[in-house]
Amino acid sequence: MFPEGVFDGDGGVEEALAALERERQKIGKLSEMWREGRTTIRAKDQSLSMTFDGRGELIELVFNESKYRSLAPAQLANVVLETLRRGKAECMAKMSEVMGTGGSGIDYGEVAAGKADPQQVLESLIGPMLGSVGLERRDGGRS
């Protein structure tokens, strides 16, 4: 099943397993952030605030009773969109901080947004380990 000499003590397997363990720990921290994380952003003009969960999804929108009433509809729409963008960007920055760059090639912002291809995520995690033991990756070695 494995190529000749794969487990001859060159350290490749141990190194790959250590890298996989580091990624597993990061993913554990990310999972905790997704379950428990909260970020609240206030509009620059204080007319509203938004709270996001750990994945960057809007879970609460609170209007300042007096301030938002004085805004024209188009202006209020702009405030909502700008605050939403800032909130999502801050959530993605928090995820990037937890995950770091680590060399895995995984964009955790895309994972959180549901835009990442699960096959590519898996290949990014286990591909280097497969390469270190002389096995071919399913994606032909692309990162």
Side-chain angles (χ1 to χ4, degrees):
M1 175 173 174
F2 295 104
E4 186 80 25
V6 166
F7 296 109
D8 287 346
D10 64 358
V13 173
E14 291 83 11
E15 186 178 314
L17 288 174
L20 189 61
E21 176 61 20
R22 285 189 298 275
E23 290 298 316
R24 188 193 66 75
Q25 288 175 358
K26 288 180 188 179
I27 290 172
K29 289 178 185 176
L30 183 65
S31 293
E32 182 179 337
M33 177 185 286
W34 283 0
R35 282 190 313 274
E36 300 171 9
R38 297 288 180 269
T39 300
T40 299
I41 301 291
R42 295 196 189 292
K44 291 179 181 178
D45 67 358
Q46 304 298 313
S47 60
L48 58 92
S49 66
M50 295 181 176
T51 300
F52 300 83
D53 67 12
R55 293 177 185 258
E57 295 297 319
L58 180 65
I59 58 172
E60 184 177 62
L61 172 60
V62 178
F63 289 95
N64 174 328
E65 254 185 70
S66 59
K67 181 70 177 176
Y68 85 93
R69 293 176 193 261
S70 65
L71 300 175
Q75 186 181 5
L76 179 58
N78 284 333
V79 168
V80 168
L81 290 175
E82 189 272 335
T83 306
L84 182 65
R85 284 187 201 108
R86 283 190 314 129
K88 289 188 100 28
E90 186 170 320
C91 290
M92 294 301 121
K94 286 181 179 182
M95 281 185 251
S96 293
E97 184 179 315
V98 166
M99 297 309 295
T101 53
S104 67
I106 298 171
D107 182 339
Y108 290 98
E110 285 194 6
V111 172
K115 296 179 181 177
D117 178 358
Q119 182 66 39
Q120 288 178 340
V121 171
L122 181 62
E123 292 292 338
S124 293
L125 289 172
I126 67 169
M129 183 172 70
L130 293 175
S132 72
V133 296
L135 296 175
E136 228 176 275
R137 293 169 50 175
R138 292 179 103 196
D139 67 356
R142 294 183 312 256
S143 293

